[in-house]
Amino acid sequence: MNQNKTRVLVTGADGFIGSHLTEALLDKGYAVRALSQYNSFNNWGWLEEIHHPDLEVVTGDVRDPNYCREITRGIDTVYHLAALIAIPYSYVAPDSYVDTNIKGTLNMCQATRDNGVRRIVVTSTSEVYGTALRVPIDEGHPKQPQSPYSATKIGADAIALSFHNAFELPVVVARPFNTYGPRQSARAIIPTIISQIASGQREIKVGDLSPTRDFNFVLDTAAGFIALGEAEGVEGKEINIATGTEISMRDTLSLIAEIMGCDVEYVVDPARLRPSGSEVFRLCGDNSLITSLTDWRPRFDIRSGLEKTIEWFTRPENLSKYKSGIYNV
């Protein structure tokens, strides 16, 4: 990694959004230290496909405060994405979410404070808002923890902001709405539909198709993170990354089928339904704050983003990585 370039750390870099953010940062000329979760296979997740002279891959775990202190030394900006994110799994393993999402964020905040990092961008989620009480959802919308996952993200956001208030830690909370695109886990609605259709299935297993979402294409989400890492005057703020539009799950399925040129029927799979009090029925974000503080604007509408996503998933070498017949919580 080039020591003369601005050095940034991305935690959760081996995941869906983190790997795209890593690539975007490298394209902008940063030297990137990318954290992949330690495993005995020495597998770097989606980082396995990224090769660049200014990329340094390290393996470890944000649950270890000493390790967090080690990897933040000499770093200018931290993009903290490492988290457990699958909502269904949070119903059965909530302790894991507390340890990774809340304690992991605490460890990263303490480490960046100890090492004098210029900026830490902490990743939140639109799930903290729960079902919209008003639309579009601005940053002042009440928080509604409708799953253990969202509760831990609310806690993580609060930890990060407490370090800003108590210790003047230069933190900004980035709150992306529903991100989709190449490399996304099959647990999410868009890849599960695409992978089933691409595998030849015509009865598509889904959960509730009535909720609406504000879908961000992953390259727009990554650009939003970088904008918040570079902008002045954003410290101590919670900032949405959103398109300001919404589409129902049912209309999303229909649009995917249209783009892929397939006639399909959907079948509700009870295993994919959230508990009634946990489902978030409407999300549509207000992006006026990020557009007033930065030059970020969404570049992809839902159709253009889906076309790129479908093109990636339907390549045999990519589709083979997904088990389309198995519901992945």
Side-chain angles (χ1 to χ4, degrees):
M1 188 166 70
N2 191 328
Q3 301 299 315
N4 296 320
K5 292 189 174 185
T6 301
R7 303 174 72 200
V8 301
L9 168 68
V10 180
T11 72
D14 50 346
F16 162 47
I17 299 176
S19 62
H20 284 281
L21 175 59
T22 296
E23 286 182 308
L25 287 162
L26 291 168
D27 287 345
K28 288 204 70 174
Y30 288 96
V32 181
R33 176 176 292 162
L35 174 61
S36 172
Q37 186 174 27
Y38 173 81
N39 63 86
S40 60
F41 300 102
N42 199 27
N43 184 282
W44 297 346
W46 291 114
L47 293 174
E48 294 281 352
E49 303 186 5
I50 303 174
H51 306 280
H52 196 285
D54 291 326
L55 174 64
E56 175 194 8
V57 179
V58 296
T59 60
D61 198 314
V62 295
R63 293 175 296 181
D64 189 305
N66 298 306
Y67 186 77
C68 292
R69 192 173 295 109
E70 179 67 27
I71 61 174
T72 51
R73 289 196 178 106
I75 293 296
D76 178 80
T77 302
V78 171
Y79 295 91
H80 176 47
L81 282 77
L84 287 175
I85 62 172
I87 293 169
Y89 188 56
S90 77
Y91 302 141
V92 297
D95 274 11
S96 300
Y97 286 69
V98 172
D99 288 344
T100 300
N101 297 353
I102 297 179
K103 293 183 180 178
T105 299
L106 170 62
N107 293 339
M108 288 303 303
C109 287
Q110 187 65 62
T112 54
R113 181 188 178 215
D114 291 346
N115 285 321
V117 172
R118 182 192 67 86
R119 170 82 49 81
I120 176 171
V121 180
V122 170
T123 308
S124 182
T125 168
S126 56
E127 285 284 325
V128 304
Y129 295 126
T131 297
L133 301 177
R134 60 175 183 265
V135 171
I137 299 171
D138 61 18
E139 290 80 0
H141 188 285
K143 309 296 194 301
Q144 301 178 101
Q146 291 180 221
S147 65
Y149 162 67
S150 64
T152 61
K153 295 299 282 186
I154 291 170
D157 296 350
I159 286 287
L161 292 171
S162 77
F163 267 69
H164 174 76
N165 294 330
F167 310 118
E168 298 183 344
L169 184 72
V171 61
V172 56
V173 174
R175 185 164 294 135
F177 279 63
N178 300 83
T179 301
Y180 71 98
R183 305 179 192 152
Q184 187 173 21
S185 165
R187 62 170 180 77
I189 183 69
I190 288 175
T192 198
I193 293 170
I194 295 172
S195 61
Q196 287 181 74
I197 295 176
S199 298
Q201 299 174 46
R202 293 299 174 260
E203 283 195 349
I204 309 303
K205 295 180 180 179
V206 293
D208 190 345
L209 292 179
S210 64
T212 68
R213 294 293 184 261
D214 185 332
F215 284 118
N216 278 305
F217 187 60
V218 66
L219 297 184
D220 281 335
T221 298
F225 273 101
I226 295 173
L228 295 179
E230 295 176 340
E232 300 298 327
V234 297
E235 292 90 347
K237 298 183 185 298
E238 304 168 77
I239 302 178
N240 291 339
I241 303 174
T243 69
T245 63
E246 61 184 320
I247 183 173
S248 72
M249 302 293 196
R250 180 174 286 103
D251 288 343
T252 302
L253 188 156
S254 297
L255 181 54
I256 291 171
E258 176 194 328
I259 294 170
M260 297 183 74
C262 294
D263 290 325
V264 299
E265 297 180 359
Y266 65 86
V267 177
V268 175
D269 178 0
R272 301 170 192 253
L273 297 173
R274 296 194 198 182
S276 60
S278 184
E279 181 62 80
V280 173
F281 286 101
R282 190 177 187 192
L283 287 173
C284 181
D286 184 338
N287 63 16
S288 58
L289 183 56
I290 190 172
T291 57
S292 69
L293 294 171
T294 75
D295 61 1
W296 179 87
R297 302 292 186 276
R299 296 188 298 117
F300 295 87
D301 62 17
I302 185 66
R303 176 178 283 274
S304 62
L306 283 176
E307 288 172 345
K308 287 186 172 294
T309 304
I310 290 165
E311 191 276 329
W312 185 89
F313 270 91
T314 51
R315 294 180 205 161
E317 66 272 23
N318 296 329
L319 184 62
S320 66
K321 297 180 174 71
Y322 290 81
K323 302 178 179 69
S324 61
I326 299 175
Y327 175 48
N328 178 17
V329 298

